[in-house]
Amino acid sequence: MTPYDLPAGQSTLLAETAAGQTARELLHAGHRHLRATAVPEARRTAIAVLGALLDCQPSELLLEGTRAVHPSVQEEFAARIERLAAGEPLAYVLGTAGFRTVEVAVDRRVLIPRPETEGLVQLVLDWASSRPGGGGMVADVGTGSGCIALALAMEGRFDRILATDISEGALAVARRNLDTVGPVAPVELRLGDLLEPLAGEQLDVVVSNPPYVAEVEWAALDSGVRLYEPEVALVSAGGMRHIERLIVGASPLLHPGGLLAIEIDARRSGHALDLARRWGWRGAAVHRDLFGRERFLLMTKGES
């Protein structure tokens, strides 16, 4: 089944909307269908879907509820509502997600950007702003959609950003986003496993939101994550394997005083912090996300 195929029996809304000719009628049918299938914020979600298809703001859509809607748009609206009713996340249905100042394309080849990851970007920006002359050269390891790299390129004062990922599909999405956003600082995409594409580089920052879900935790994740988002971008042996590789392997790539910033699982923050200290990182500290969870581990390379 492709990401856009509808499960068997999920075609009821197509029949409902066949007779609906206006935006108001479509929204009513979509709202009713999403509410019946327990989709949260059903009305707002239906408005978001139709607004995206008609390229208009929710306020415009509500004010022009009697506007006629082309049959092809009606059919696409019904198909997207059915995808939502089946449990697919809204960001994949819309094909976009907001992240700080940028809007990025997303599909099932990449994770949906999370609000808490915006805090990781802010910590890197704060660190870089305290350095004379700006932040230098950055690597975003496991870039996915490219949201971290793009945010740093748009908001920071970095000379260059390298963005790596093990997935060719993810890099295709990141390339699309680079072409659309047109970042201020140059961003180069590299294919490979974690730090391997960075061999021989000397960097000022390595930042990463790596996989950190343990295998035993995977089955307990919300179905919208487990059934739709890429497992390779989420699951790591023991929830720590990728984080351990970053802590052990990033130092040779950094200039003295350079920053390593990693998003981590709050349940293993103590383990990650102890590991960083054992490997000689300076000033290793855990920072909380906007929900108060111990989510980010920052450390710097000691002077040679």
Side-chain angles (χ1 to χ4, degrees):
M1 187 169 72
T2 72
Y4 306 110
D5 288 336
L6 298 178
Q10 293 290 322
S11 59
T12 55
L13 190 65
L14 291 172
E16 278 192 57
T17 57
Q21 300 296 316
T22 69
R24 183 176 292 118
E25 289 167 336
L26 283 174
L27 287 176
H28 181 69
H31 174 209
R32 185 169 62 249
H33 194 66
L34 292 177
R35 186 176 58 190
T37 51
V39 173
E41 298 186 313
R43 184 171 183 271
R44 181 177 296 182
T45 299
I47 290 171
V49 172
L50 189 56
L53 290 173
L54 296 176
D55 193 24
C56 66
Q57 296 298 315
S59 57
E60 298 176 74
L61 193 60
L62 295 173
L63 287 172
E64 299 180 25
T66 58
R67 70 184 285 186
V69 178
H70 192 276
S72 64
V73 175
Q74 296 180 45
E75 186 173 339
E76 180 62 23
F77 175 75
R80 294 195 188 196
I81 292 295
E82 295 290 5
R83 288 166 60 189
L84 288 164
E88 187 169 350
L90 177 61
Y92 288 152
V93 172
L94 295 178
T96 61
F99 186 80
R100 292 184 67 92
T101 64
V102 296
E103 188 86 8
V104 294
V106 292
D107 60 32
R108 289 177 63 179
R109 294 173 291 181
V110 299
L111 291 181
I112 299 167
R114 268 48 172 192
E116 49 264 53
T117 304
E118 297 185 9
L120 180 63
V121 171
Q122 189 61 53
L123 287 168
V124 173
L125 291 171
D126 291 345
W127 176 88
S129 68
S130 68
R131 306 182 79 210
M137 188 165 168
V138 183
D140 171 23
V141 178
T143 195
S145 65
C147 61
I148 291 176
L150 282 168
L152 292 173
M154 297 300 290
E155 298 182 60
R157 294 182 296 127
F158 300 105
D159 300 322
R160 185 178 173 214
I161 296 172
L162 306 177
T164 77
D165 207 284
I166 196 171
S167 165
E168 291 185 359
L171 288 182
V173 176
R175 168 56 59 195
R176 176 182 172 189
N177 286 322
L178 288 180
D179 292 344
T180 301
V181 174
V184 175
V187 178
E188 178 187 340
L189 302 178
R190 294 185 181 182
L191 177 66
D193 184 19
L194 217 61
L195 297 168
E196 290 176 3
L198 303 173
E201 297 290 352
Q202 282 293 284
L203 306 164
D204 297 280
V205 180
V206 172
V207 59
S208 182
N209 177 17
Y212 55 73
V213 175
E215 302 95 320
V216 295
E217 297 162 353
W218 171 251
L221 290 179
D222 179 87
S223 61
V225 175
R226 182 169 39 82
L227 299 179
Y228 292 94
E229 300 201 61
E231 183 176 353
V232 68
L234 287 164
V235 176
S236 182
M240 281 294 297
R241 180 56 182 152
H242 288 77
I243 292 168
E244 290 170 353
R245 290 175 60 195
L246 288 165
I247 291 172
V248 172
S251 183
L253 300 171
L254 287 166
H255 292 297
L259 176 71
L260 174 60
I262 311 172
E263 183 168 325
I264 60 177
D265 191 308
R267 292 168 291 187
R268 289 177 280 274
S269 61
H271 181 179
L273 182 59
D274 289 344
L275 184 65
R277 289 171 174 166
R278 289 202 305 271
W279 278 88
W281 288 95
R282 188 179 66 185
V286 172
H287 300 258
R288 296 182 183 273
D289 65 17
L290 73 169
F291 301 110
R293 296 172 297 200
E294 295 185 332
R295 181 64 65 191
F296 313 117
L297 177 64
L298 271 65
M299 66 206 84
T300 55
K301 180 177 177 177
E303 301 293 332
S304 299

